[in-house]
Amino acid sequence: MHSVQSDAERRWPGSDAEQADRHALYERAVQCPEAEVDFIQQTFLDRRGRPARSLTEDFCGTAAVCREWILRHPEHCAVGVDKDPAVLAYARQHRLASMTADQQRRLRLINADVLEITTPQSAPGLELEAPTSCAPVDLILAMNFSWWLITKRRDLRGYFMRVRERLVADGLFLLDAYGGYDAFRVITEERSIEDDLEPSFSYIWDQADYDPISGLMQCAIHFQFPDGSRLENAFCYRWRLWTLPELREILTEAGFRNLIVYWQGWDENGDPDGCFHPVTRADADAGWICYLSAEP
């Protein structure tokens, strides 16, 4: 029987883990708002023949994508929705504070469950500035597999129906997914993050449990530092591993049409190249990620 280190043994006063900002580490390891906004801008232009100007980021977290969207164009506006007030407070302090007054005016953060957001047309007479109301937008995003937190089919269909109501007539819904045969395993993956910022660290993705009967997973993100300290369970998720056939069926039931899957390509070394292209068939890889677009 092996011993398990406690959190106190993994980090100590003055250690890299003790001083770490878990949200900043997450953004460095997982997100690339610049590339994501490049993709959603081009995808909307290709699909709709006009530039998008308004965006809502559901499950927005630190609102990094909202911020990047606002910075791209003086006519861009964005709404970020998240049910965690602490992460929205972080976004206001660390992401919005450096923006100009005009940029901040064009970015609204809503502390609410995405299942409770309404629009003026879905709730006649509702004031636009009501806490859980926002006007229809060109784009709605559900990224970083966040929509997997909705674990029941009925609830997911209801969410998609609400998304459809919150889009303009020629709007677009974009979300992502991952899969492959490794996605169904109890497995830990680690990769080094070495960029221009300090400290460097290892990002550890931990699929701690998967139940093939319910499809529910328990996952966590840990961060390991060069000084030996470790930020254990920096983020924990209890979600459902939805498959692409299920996703496409439920989107169609919710009234969406013209569903397109965008698959990531590979470079000459066999590594993901970060470029996503429309496909109708894909290989049975051990692990893959993709985007999916849907029209209301």
Side-chain angles (χ1 to χ4, degrees):
M1 181 174 179
H2 66 279
S3 62
V4 178
Q5 284 183 294
S6 69
D7 286 347
E9 293 171 315
R10 293 175 183 267
R11 54 179 177 170
W12 53 88
S15 67
D16 288 337
E18 182 68 23
Q19 300 177 73
D21 179 334
R22 67 188 183 111
H23 294 299
L25 295 174
Y26 178 91
E27 290 182 1
R28 287 171 62 189
V30 176
Q31 291 188 284
C32 183
E34 297 83 2
E36 195 158 284
V37 170
D38 285 345
F39 173 78
I40 64 178
Q41 278 189 306
Q42 189 60 52
T43 301
F44 189 92
L45 184 61
D46 292 344
R47 295 288 301 276
R48 293 320 207 181
R50 68 175 179 87
R53 292 293 183 238
S54 56
L55 169 151
T56 293
E57 183 186 5
D58 285 348
F59 313 94
C60 70
T62 60
V65 173
C66 283
R67 182 181 187 277
E68 178 64 23
W69 179 258
I70 293 297
L71 297 180
R72 288 294 178 97
H73 196 282
E75 295 180 12
H76 280 185
C77 59
V79 176
V81 181
D82 202 288
K83 67 188 299 184
D84 183 354
V87 76
L88 292 181
Y90 180 95
R92 292 186 179 94
Q93 179 181 356
H94 296 274
R95 298 294 170 261
L96 274 67
S98 62
M99 301 170 69
T100 67
D102 174 68
Q103 291 167 345
Q104 291 185 34
R105 179 185 58 80
R106 292 185 280 116
L107 201 170
R108 180 184 174 204
L109 298 180
I110 299 178
N111 180 205
D113 190 318
V114 296
L115 299 177
E116 299 173 356
I117 296 296
T118 59
T119 60
Q121 66 261 52
S122 65
L126 188 65
E127 292 295 329
L128 182 58
E129 292 303 318
T132 59
S133 171
C134 55
V137 294
D138 295 328
L139 274 162
I140 293 181
L141 311 179
M143 299 298 189
N144 297 320
F145 326 116
S146 50
W147 56 275
W148 283 5
L149 293 169
I150 304 173
T151 59
K152 296 185 182 300
R153 197 180 200 279
R154 177 189 60 207
D155 294 338
L156 188 60
R157 183 173 64 246
Y159 167 59
F160 290 159
M161 292 174 69
R162 282 185 176 272
V163 167
R164 188 165 170 265
E165 293 174 351
R166 294 158 53 202
L167 287 166
V168 297
D170 66 340
L172 199 65
F173 181 34
L174 283 167
L175 62 168
D176 60 5
Y178 81 76
Y181 47 85
D182 274 352
F184 298 88
R185 298 174 59 197
V186 173
I187 190 173
T188 300
E189 298 178 346
E190 180 174 346
R191 58 185 172 88
S192 298
I193 307 298
E194 297 181 0
D195 50 26
D196 296 332
L197 303 176
E198 293 293 339
S200 61
F201 62 94
S202 292
Y203 163 85
I204 302 167
W205 173 249
D206 183 5
Q207 291 178 184
D209 182 64
Y210 173 70
D211 174 14
I213 295 178
S214 66
L216 295 179
M217 302 179 70
Q218 185 70 44
C219 304
I221 293 174
H222 320 296
F223 299 112
Q224 179 87 33
F225 300 93
D227 67 355
S229 62
R230 180 178 170 110
L231 194 56
E232 192 81 2
N233 294 319
F235 297 92
C236 297
Y237 308 95
R238 181 68 171 171
W239 59 22
R240 177 168 170 176
L241 178 57
W242 292 98
T243 66
L244 285 180
E246 290 175 312
L247 170 59
R248 297 171 71 191
E249 289 171 0
I250 299 171
L251 282 167
T252 301
E253 291 172 11
F256 283 98
R257 58 191 177 85
N258 296 336
L259 311 180
I260 296 181
V261 175
Y262 297 82
W263 209 257
Q264 184 169 227
W266 306 89
D267 63 20
E268 63 274 10
N269 299 318
D271 297 320
D273 63 6
C275 298
F276 293 81
H277 308 280
V279 298
T280 56
R281 191 186 187 285
D283 294 330
D285 296 322
W288 50 259
I289 61 172
C290 72
Y291 289 108
L292 191 141
S293 67
E295 300 175 9

